[in-house]
Amino acid sequence: MRIGMLAGDLDCPGSNAVVRAFARKGIQVYGWEIVAIRDGWAGLRENRAVPIGPREIDETLTRDRPLLSSSRGPVKPGDSLHGLDALVVLGGEDAVAGAAKLAADGVQVVVVPATIRNDVMATDATFGFDTAVQIAADALDRCRTTAESHERALVVEVSGRDSGWIALHAGLAGGADVIVGPERPFDLSQVLARVTRRFERGRAPIVVLAEGALPDGIPVPNGVATWLSEEISRHTGKEARAVAVSQDSGRPTAADRELGTRFGLRAADAVHAGESGVMVALRGTDLGTVPLAAAAGRKTVSPARYREVEALLG
């Protein structure tokens, strides 16, 4: 069999671990030919396939640069798969949707959930998320030192789009004073009240704001983090600044390398078993597969979880 692997969404730390594990098991155990599709869906349409063997996957586990580059926009019905017998797609919500279309056309396709946002349904975790949280938490540690030395507030913006998992986990790990997610509009007065209390206690407040978060009832055309820092400064009379932290790249954590390896091995077993239209999913500590229909949509942080965190922050 000739199996292709592609990244359907954005690059994600830990993808090399998936490719390495899948290729090793596919070649050594099942005797497959494995090819990496460069530039995602566009590369599949244009047959940008590169063979993967032991030489290509050696020492890839800790590299920052991914073996699979990505692009959006899946192949269309009737497009050629250039002799592939099956396809493994790494990605998030968009990759699941694209793979579902291929599966409906009779292509054997298996998805591995890959996104730093951890927003894929039907799996407890995606690889790349742990790395993103660690990068953000490390940034918060450095930001706190700067904020305290200058007695200023910092609004730290992290990735998230429509889900606040990174903000929630990094904010808790980094000791944030306020955590704002995109799932619900935030109350500016509540944020200002918490920041003011922190200043009154002699602390430099840290606000973690997920990309995509918006205030309740206040139109902000763009730059919410900058706008919020200006509101904090105006309300408290203290200096406040906005800081953006990127988590899309970086050396993957040990947890993401281990999880990516397990995902790759399980994906190989799924392909070998003839499964199609499925996604590898983590439930507790166990790996299995779920239909792509169960993985459709976006997993977000629940209001109850935010209330639980707010009670902790005080």
Side-chain angles (χ1 to χ4, degrees):
M1 291 180 67
R2 187 169 186 260
I3 316 296
M5 302 188 73
L6 68 82
D9 290 346
L10 301 177
D11 296 332
C12 182
S15 62
N16 284 353
V18 179
V19 176
R20 174 177 175 269
F22 183 90
R24 280 193 169 181
K25 189 161 191 177
I27 295 169
Q28 297 172 6
V29 177
Y30 298 130
W32 297 335
E33 177 188 355
I34 310 294
V35 297
I37 310 298
R38 298 287 175 83
D39 303 323
W41 300 109
L44 181 62
R45 287 191 298 269
E46 299 170 13
N47 196 25
R48 301 176 199 162
V50 179
I52 297 178
R55 180 177 179 180
E56 286 73 27
I57 60 177
D58 280 349
E59 300 179 2
T60 61
L61 199 59
T62 60
R63 290 181 187 172
D64 296 345
R65 184 178 180 182
L67 288 168
L68 301 177
S69 53
S70 63
S71 70
R72 296 182 183 273
V75 294
K76 300 176 182 178
D79 286 348
S80 172
L81 294 183
H82 305 284
L84 294 178
D85 296 298
L87 188 65
V88 174
V89 180
L90 283 63
E93 181 184 10
D94 293 336
V96 170
K101 293 178 181 178
L102 291 181
D105 291 333
V107 177
Q108 185 184 4
V109 58
V110 172
V111 173
V112 176
T115 169
I116 65 171
R117 296 187 299 270
N118 196 40
D119 59 354
V120 178
M121 298 289 288
T123 182
D124 290 347
T126 61
F127 74 86
F129 174 63
D130 187 74
T131 300
V133 170
Q134 187 64 60
I135 291 172
D138 289 344
L140 287 177
D141 290 345
R142 293 189 292 272
C143 285
R144 185 171 297 282
T145 301
T146 301
E148 290 177 349
S149 64
H150 294 280
E151 296 184 359
R152 68 165 66 119
L154 289 180
V155 179
V156 182
E157 183 182 65
V158 299
S159 299
R161 199 165 68 178
D162 296 322
S163 61
W165 293 107
I166 295 176
L168 189 73
H169 285 247
L172 286 173
D177 300 295
V178 180
I179 299 173
V180 179
E183 287 86 355
R184 59 177 185 174
F186 64 88
D187 188 323
L188 175 61
S189 63
Q190 289 183 1
V191 173
L192 293 175
R194 289 187 179 185
V195 169
T196 299
R197 288 198 298 269
R198 298 307 188 270
F199 271 129
E200 290 173 348
R201 296 174 187 172
R203 295 185 60 185
I206 301 292
V207 178
V208 176
L209 181 143
E211 166 192 41
L214 291 171
D216 188 10
I218 303 175
V220 180
N222 49 49
V224 176
T226 299
W227 170 84
L228 182 55
S229 67
E230 292 171 350
E231 288 295 311
I232 290 173
S233 182
R234 185 173 65 85
H235 180 82
T236 64
K238 300 281 190 177
E239 183 182 6
R241 294 187 181 181
V243 179
V245 179
S246 173
Q247 303 97 43
D248 289 325
S249 61
R251 181 165 293 183
T253 61
D256 273 337
R257 296 176 202 175
E258 188 270 345
L259 182 59
T261 297
R262 293 184 65 202
F263 273 142
L265 294 174
R266 186 63 183 84
D269 290 339
V271 172
H272 176 69
E275 294 186 62
S276 183
V278 300
M279 183 186 77
V280 179
L282 179 69
R283 297 292 182 89
T285 58
D286 297 327
L287 283 179
T289 58
V290 297
L292 291 179
R298 183 173 294 135
K299 180 177 68 177
T300 57
V301 181
S302 68
R305 189 71 179 274
Y306 277 118
R307 288 194 295 270
E308 178 184 90
V309 171
E310 287 168 357
L312 174 66
L313 298 179

